[in-house]
Amino acid sequence: MVPDLPESLPVWHLVGGLDPLDSSELRGDEPDDGYPVHLREWIRRDGLTCLKIKLRGNDSEWDYRRLLEVGRISAEEGVDHLTTDFNCTVTEPAYVNDILDHLAREDSSTYDRILYVEQPFPYDLEMHRIPVHSVADRKPLFMDESAHDWKHVRLGRELGWNGVALKTCKTQTGALLSLCWAKAHGMSLMVQDLTNPMLAQIPHALLGHHAGTIMGVESNGMQFYPEASIREARVHPGLYQRREGRLDLSTIRGPGFGYRMEEIDRL
């Protein structure tokens, strides 16, 4: 039995490494296009409760300071969940462990908000067979770039990874195969975004529902090029505008993926 589609899903916002966090970091050359230009504005406009923090992975002082800064804003603005993305640049588990342990000692509130850690290590697991059990013992450790093939997921589990991030842009079939293998072997799941605009947003959100993720779905198309999806947003407004920290799936219905193509003036 396929479960009924929920009305909405929690949605994650991407905090880029160069993104200003509040008005004190603005330089004066930000676009004046009606969209938020710093993190606090995004949180308040979209009611965000989940933030994915991009880190460098090769500068531990910068990474730790960034976590403290975003953690402070999260506490002040009522954000519940964080995740860290070290960008596949880390080569030693101790790098991540030291940051997490330092954070647990000095800012336990931010540490507790971290729901999982996204792929810190190089994506080619065959070439970089790094045992990562010590990181996974601290926080759920999710494969991302390495998870495009279920055989890589199998190798990752042997090395200590205990979660898988799925992306529909790497093909629906690949995502489903990785999902099935991961679920069969007790691994947690997440659905993440490489910026899905227009119709691509719909199967992305649907996978987030059906996969049974650790917490909703990441969706950042409305951050990077919101105008690209204006036509689709007229039919599915809640899929292209994050409100109260969620995506609204209630307009998805009908055959196929529930696109409602006949109502979208795309051609």
Side-chain angles (χ1 to χ4, degrees):
M1 295 288 291
V2 176
D4 292 337
L5 198 64
E7 286 289 312
S8 64
L9 285 176
V11 62
W12 291 75
H13 172 92
L14 177 64
V15 184
L18 299 177
D19 289 0
L21 302 183
D22 58 29
S23 58
S24 69
E25 297 185 358
L26 299 181
R27 300 174 303 182
D29 59 352
E30 291 77 22
D32 182 16
D33 56 9
Y35 293 101
V37 293
H38 60 74
L39 179 59
R40 284 191 191 272
E41 286 186 340
W42 280 111
I43 293 171
R44 293 170 182 175
R45 193 198 75 163
D46 292 0
L48 299 171
T49 60
C50 301
L51 302 178
K52 172 178 170 177
I53 309 166
K54 278 282 188 180
L55 301 174
R56 293 179 178 176
N58 56 13
D59 184 341
S60 60
E61 290 186 9
W62 189 94
D63 287 348
Y64 181 70
R65 187 168 61 252
R66 188 70 164 178
L67 285 173
L68 289 178
E69 291 168 348
V70 176
R72 173 179 55 82
I73 289 174
S74 298
E76 293 170 356
E77 299 290 345
V79 171
D80 298 321
H81 303 295
L82 305 173
T83 183
T84 59
D85 180 356
F86 287 88
N87 232 21
C88 302
T89 52
V90 180
T91 57
E92 294 290 340
Y95 182 100
V96 181
N97 292 340
D98 289 348
I99 289 175
L100 291 177
D101 291 348
H102 191 188
L103 194 64
R105 291 191 303 269
E106 302 298 328
D107 187 354
S108 60
S109 175
T110 296
Y111 179 85
D112 290 343
R113 282 186 173 85
I114 296 176
L115 195 60
Y116 68 97
V117 172
E118 181 181 334
Q119 186 138 10
F121 308 107
Y123 69 88
D124 189 338
L125 298 187
E126 290 281 356
M127 183 177 296
H128 302 275
R129 292 177 176 250
I130 303 171
V132 297
H133 302 81
S134 60
V135 181
D137 286 343
R138 288 165 167 81
K139 291 287 181 180
L141 182 62
F142 277 59
M143 306 172 66
D144 176 11
E145 281 76 5
S146 299
H148 62 279
D149 186 313
W150 70 268
K151 295 176 183 176
H152 295 170
V153 175
R154 180 176 61 188
L155 174 58
R157 185 171 179 268
E158 293 172 1
L159 293 170
W161 301 80
N162 50 15
V164 175
L166 307 169
K167 291 180 176 174
T168 55
C169 59
K170 295 180 179 178
T171 76
Q172 287 277 349
T173 301
L176 290 173
L177 289 172
S178 292
L179 180 157
C180 292
W181 198 95
K183 274 204 167 185
H185 293 83
M187 301 179 78
S188 298
L189 294 167
M190 185 60 197
V191 171
Q192 294 184 338
D193 200 358
L194 274 177
T195 311
N196 285 294
M198 299 179 280
L199 292 178
Q201 174 76 337
I202 295 176
H204 169 68
L206 287 173
L207 182 64
H209 158 57
H210 290 295
T213 66
I214 191 171
M215 179 61 63
V217 63
E218 180 191 356
S219 186
N220 56 47
M222 55 286 294
Q223 293 178 240
F224 299 123
Y225 40 73
E227 302 293 323
S229 304
I230 285 178
R231 290 179 174 85
E232 288 77 13
R234 294 186 185 121
V235 178
H236 304 284
L239 278 174
Y240 301 92
Q241 299 174 5
R242 304 173 303 195
R243 292 294 178 263
E244 298 182 4
R246 304 182 74 86
L247 290 182
D248 182 352
L249 280 62
S250 63
T251 57
I252 301 175
R253 59 178 179 268
F257 285 111
Y259 289 142
R260 297 168 59 187
M261 285 292 297
E262 69 282 358
E263 301 174 58
I264 297 173
D265 182 22
R266 176 57 67 182
L267 299 178

